Amino acid sequence: MKNVKTLIAAAVLRLNFHLPAFAAVEVQATPCRSTKVGTISANAGTNLGSLEDQLAQKADEMGAKSFRITSVTGPNTLHGTAVIYK
């Protein structure tokens, strides 16, 4: 019985130390319970995924909970803007 309690305690402690960090999440529509706090922009290569990653990183740096991409332009080098929400 003591071993079972020890295993459960160890499992709970392990979960507490390995929780993922909270990062800004891309949303497709304006979140209803969030407040718009600004806009961000980024330049990336020809890959839309790298542009999304850069915008997510900037949103995290500004303390945003989520962001919504509002525009992407450029034939070779992509430029994108997004609205950030808290």
Side-chain angles (χ1 to χ4, degrees), residues 6-43:
T6 303
L7 287 174
I8 291 172
V12 169
L13 288 174
R14 180 181 169 131
L15 287 175
N16 287 336
F17 290 114
H18 294 290
L19 293 175
F22 292 101
V25 176
E26 181 182 1
V27 294
Q28 300 301 317
T30 302
C32 59
R33 293 190 176 148
S34 298
T35 304
K36 176 182 172 181
V37 292
T39 59
I40 53 174
S41 63
N43 291 313

Side-chain angles (χ1 to χ4, degrees), residues 23-24 26 40 51-61 67:
E26 181 182 1
I40 53 174
L51 179 61
E52 290 174 352
D53 291 343
Q54 286 185 16
L55 289 170
Q57 181 180 5
K58 285 189 175 189
D60 285 340
E61 290 170 0
F67 67 99

